[in-house]
Amino acid sequence: MTENDFVPKGSTSLPMDGKVRYKAPSNIALVKYWGKKENQIPANPSISFTLDACATTTALSYKRSEKLLDSFSLELFFEGKLKEDFKPKIITFFERIEKYVPFLKEYHWKIETSNSFPHSSGIASSASGMAALALCLLSVEKSGNPEMSEDYFNQKASFLARLGSGSACRSIEGDLIQWGHTPGIPGSTNLFGVTYPFEVHQNFKNYHDTILLVHKGQKTVSSTVGHELMYGHLYAEKRFEQAHQNLEKLKKIFGSGDLDAFIEIVESEALTLHAMMMTSLPYFILMKPNTLEIINRIWSFRLATKTPICFTLDAGANVHVLYPESHKAKCIQFIQDELVAYCENGHYICDRIGKGAQRLVVDQQ
């Protein structure tokens, strides 16, 4: 497919007004995407677990204007409060997607959004937030084109979400989503996320992710800036090659259920992500001392007990602790006994693999 496949063909009869509501989850990458090209195209492919509890719920109300507007008309509420400082990001998103959602200036939009996790928790909400908003907008289009297939709907929703936040394209479906063209995965594309097409062993079903909130403050360097620093990075090309290689290795690992090999790739990917940050120019470090303390305790516990527990990291200090359903009780006990002490105010979130976004019943007012 190409971008032009997502441009609506012909005119459709859209409603005068309405409201739609979606809940979209966050996701945690196993093979990391770091570095992007123009129009939110990834420099390397990635794959992620779709989460369940960590999610954004967005309600989109719309009313047709009497005439075509010169600019976007919208208001945005976060956790029930008007948030003017959020609007510039939404306007930028609307500008990027207007070609594919040509009715944006025909309506006034009211966006009401909230997260299931604290806004200051250090968990990036851009993936879940942009995914939820993209789904709401596409639902408006589908109301004028009821013949739109489910596959096309999911692909276009992922495509639109990507233009808001790259990783948001992995928050439409579940439970294992791959994004970015790579030769070994049929159907893979830079345009949207796809459901992983190969066999996945029972070991990786119902996987758990306990998120340890080491630092809740704003990052010293944003992910947007970090992605840009991959241009001209001394090790960038080798890193991009490594991502393709790790995706190829995961095909056998996911099929066989080899937890040891899975752990090796996931932890290596996390550390490589931060190594790229530390070797950028300018260089920066997002991990905190407690991040390293948690990693070392996970390693010691795994070595002593042979429990298949591991960590991964996003572009920040917080630690995602991954473990299979069959070891849940032992891992939770270890986390509570030894790791929670290193979290800010003892805060952590228990999550697990989810099945993707879902449309919710609209509140009757």
Side-chain angles (χ1 to χ4, degrees):
M1 297 183 74
T2 70
E3 291 92 338
N4 288 333
D5 290 308
F6 297 117
V7 177
K9 308 297 190 293
S11 60
T12 55
S13 178
L14 297 175
M16 292 298 294
D17 55 45
K19 186 175 182 180
V20 62
R21 191 163 170 253
Y22 264 92
K23 177 182 177 182
S26 188
N27 65 77
I28 180 64
L30 307 172
V31 172
K32 307 294 183 180
Y33 133 73
W34 197 242
K36 58 186 175 184
K37 304 173 186 177
E38 190 177 1
N39 295 324
Q40 301 287 89
I41 297 298
N44 69 267
S46 58
I47 193 167
S48 62
F49 278 148
T50 308
L51 297 181
D52 181 48
C54 291
T56 297
T57 298
T58 295
L60 181 68
S61 304
Y62 52 97
K63 185 174 183 179
R64 188 183 292 275
S65 303
E66 293 183 0
K67 61 179 181 178
L68 184 65
L69 303 173
D70 295 328
S71 58
F72 303 112
S73 176
L74 64 98
E75 52 186 336
L76 192 148
F77 294 82
F78 178 71
E79 309 286 2
K81 297 180 180 179
L82 187 65
K83 295 289 288 186
E84 290 292 329
D85 54 325
F86 282 16
K87 283 179 65 174
K89 186 171 185 179
I90 302 302
I91 289 172
T92 297
F93 175 52
F94 277 15
E95 289 171 344
R96 288 176 179 170
I97 68 172
E98 187 177 12
K99 177 180 177 181
Y100 312 102
V101 188
F103 52 84
L104 285 173
K105 288 179 180 173
E106 297 177 18
Y107 291 90
H108 173 73
W109 307 95
K110 181 181 179 182
I111 304 166
E112 300 170 276
T113 188
S114 62
N115 295 331
S116 64
F117 47 91
H119 181 57
S120 60
S121 66
I123 299 173
S125 59
S126 57
S128 54
M130 286 300 180
L133 180 55
L135 285 159
C136 288
L137 289 168
L138 192 55
S139 290
V140 178
E141 179 183 331
K142 183 175 172 60
S143 67
N145 180 18
E147 301 303 314
M148 183 185 296
S149 70
E150 182 179 354
D151 284 346
Y152 181 85
F153 182 91
N154 288 334
Q155 289 170 358
K156 184 167 181 177
S158 180
F159 171 82
L160 295 176
R162 192 202 87 233
L163 293 173
S165 172
S167 59
C169 75
R170 300 191 309 246
S171 283
I172 303 298
E173 298 182 89
D175 50 5
L176 193 58
I177 302 297
Q178 193 274 327
W179 170 42
H181 176 68
T182 187
I185 298 182
S188 62
T189 172
N190 293 329
L191 299 181
F192 50 83
V194 299
T195 302
Y196 191 65
F198 301 114
E199 179 185 359
V200 177
H201 192 277
Q202 188 62 35
N203 283 351
F204 300 108
K205 304 293 184 180
N206 301 317
Y207 229 77
H208 289 264
D209 177 7
T210 297
I211 306 158
L212 306 181
L213 305 179
V214 172
H215 178 66
K216 302 186 202 177
Q218 188 170 353
K219 294 184 293 189
T220 55
V221 176
S222 72
S223 292
T224 299
V225 172
H227 281 292
E228 291 173 353
L229 291 176
M230 289 297 284
Y231 287 106
H233 194 296
L234 182 62
Y235 308 123
E237 290 305 317
K238 286 296 183 182
R239 162 57 200 152
F240 301 151
E241 290 176 15
Q242 180 192 42
H244 286 276
Q245 292 166 0
N246 281 342
L247 277 167
E248 188 63 27
K249 291 176 183 177
L250 279 172
K251 287 162 62 176
K252 181 178 179 180
I253 292 168
F254 281 137
S256 66
D258 188 338
L259 291 170
D260 290 337
F262 174 78
I263 288 169
E264 183 177 278
I265 284 183
V266 168
E267 291 190 342
S268 172
E269 278 283 326
L271 295 176
T272 298
L273 171 66
H274 284 261
M276 300 309 289
M277 299 173 193
M278 289 187 276
T279 50
S280 297
L281 286 175
Y283 41 79
F284 60 101
I285 299 175
L286 295 183
M287 288 190 285
K288 301 293 183 182
N290 281 358
T291 307
L292 297 175
E293 187 62 40
I294 289 169
I295 289 172
N296 278 302
R297 285 184 173 265
I298 289 172
W299 283 344
S300 296
F301 177 75
R302 189 169 70 223
L303 181 64
T305 66
K306 308 303 179 186
T307 304
I309 186 172
C310 68
F311 72 88
T312 189
L313 307 167
D314 266 340
N318 299 326
V319 182
H320 290 249
V321 186
L322 303 177
Y323 48 93
E325 170 76 21
S326 56
H327 293 265
K328 176 183 175 182
K330 192 172 186 178
C331 290
I332 286 290
Q333 192 65 55
F334 161 64
I335 290 166
Q336 293 174 341
D337 291 346
E338 295 195 37
L339 302 186
V340 171
Y342 298 99
C343 298
E344 188 172 331
N345 299 321
H347 289 171
Y348 65 100
I349 298 172
C350 289
D351 210 336
R352 64 192 302 160
I353 291 180
K355 298 301 182 183
Q358 55 184 305
R359 185 165 181 168
L360 303 177
V361 175
V362 173
D363 298 328
Q364 298 299 319
Q365 296 181 347

